[in-house]
Amino acid sequence: MLGLRYFACERCGTVYASPDAPSDCADCDGTRLAELAEGSGAAAYFAPVD
């Protein structure tokens, strides 16, 4: 099983969780997605809210 990697669109800031890098941003059609470093807290974007 592949682990998730986290990417942020440099244009609008949308964050994606995926095992592979997305080719572009689904929100703004930006093509520059930066991988967020492990331990950056990016998983919190996808954590359930109490």
Side-chain angles (χ1 to χ4, degrees), residues 5-44:
R5 295 164 48 200
Y6 301 96
F7 303 88
C9 175
E10 292 182 359
R11 187 180 201 185
C12 72
T14 299
V15 176
Y16 296 91
S18 175
D20 299 312
S23 59
D24 59 4
C25 178
D27 286 344
C28 73
D29 295 326
T31 57
R32 296 190 60 185
L33 294 151
E35 186 165 8
L36 302 175
E38 280 190 45
S40 67

